[in-house]
Amino acid sequence: MSNATAAMSSPDSTTAGKSPSFLILAMLTVGVCGNLLALFVLSRIRNNLDRRHKFLLRCLATNDCVAVAGMLAATIVRTAWPQTVNNVWTCRQIVLWRFFGLGSGCVAVLMAVERWLAITRPFFYQKYITESILKRITIVLWLTVLCLVCAPFFGFGIYWNDNLKKCSRIRDAKESLDVIYAYVFFSFGVVLCIVITCSNLDVIIALCTKERNNHINLNKVNADTSSGALVRNVDRNNEERLFSWLMLFLCVSFVVCWLPQLLSIPLAQFFQNAAKLNVFYKIADLLLVLHFSLDPYLYVLQQWKLVRSTLTWSKYTRNNTVSDSSVTRASLV
């Protein structure tokens, strides 16, 4: 879960060769372009996206844009000036970049919980979950992450090996306090993965149950039902089915990209011979870079067609009283 900048600046990645460096540069460039495009798209969407969801998407895109741009700059500096890799100030900057790694996870989890409340607790969501509340929760989460990543500066955790004069990863901890910090970091990341998995799975179950109930109701529709109502029901079912598949894909992609980085911490503590795990470490680092690069395409850009194709439905719901289905629709968009 540590920021991928640390991975790319660590001594074991400097021997990766030209191909991995080119691959990383390409992925980071795609990520920067994607996040900038996502911020542009969000600025163009006016009334078709719920303000709460739009705020969280902006937080995620901004956080990831800064993170990916920083990692891209660090990679270029490491390639052009390799002597700066194992400088104590470079290592301190890497520690600060971890904030954006965990910050992105916190925003993604908050988005999952927000969608879960919107779909499974619509009345509670409409009454209590406001944009102001989401802003406060986001600030609290980011401050918590900032305190966690800055703890090594005060002796709780490792980031610099004074004997070897090189940067150290969290998983390289040997002293008692450093090992405790590594497991605190690991536990925080595991909690994020569990929350986002449970929230998304519950959303999928709720949507599948609702689709099954809607299908039963459609079979009982009598002959005098208007064709417009049938079309709206079918469209809503198709959107909910698409959204449930999207939730499953987001859940799997998040866990697949983050879990290897988390598991590297206990594995490094269990297996003292790090050479056996070098391939696993490199795969974990590449997956984390992939996560930051794909985030804007998964969370923002894929929704642009949905927003444009559902203007008619948005106009319809705007003229009706908020109900369970309209709350679900607001979250789907």
Side-chain angles (χ1 to χ4, degrees), residues 189-256:
V190 169
V191 169
L192 293 183
C193 287
I194 291 175
V195 171
I196 198 170
T197 301
C198 293
S199 300
N200 285 335
L201 288 180
D202 203 19
V203 167
I204 294 170
I205 293 172
L207 290 176
C208 291
T209 303
K210 186 176 180 182
E211 181 185 354
R212 188 162 51 248
N213 294 336
N214 288 341
H215 182 71
I216 294 174
N217 293 335
L218 282 175
N219 290 335
K220 296 180 179 179
V221 172
N222 51 33
D224 59 357
T225 302
S226 65
S227 60
L230 286 174
V231 171
R232 285 193 295 270
N233 284 332
V234 172
D235 289 344
R236 190 187 308 127
N237 289 342
N238 290 336
E239 289 174 9
E240 289 174 354
R241 188 183 302 111
L242 176 63
F243 189 69
S244 64
W245 280 107
L246 175 62
M247 289 300 95
L248 179 62
F249 181 69
L250 290 178
C251 179
V252 171
S253 64
F254 185 91
V255 173
V256 167

Side-chain angles (χ1 to χ4, degrees), residues 253-275:
S253 64
F254 185 91
V255 173
V256 167
C257 290
W258 287 65
L259 199 57
Q261 194 68 226
L262 285 173
L263 292 177
S264 68
I265 294 176
L267 286 177
Q269 295 298 317
F270 186 75
F271 297 102
Q272 296 300 321
N273 187 0

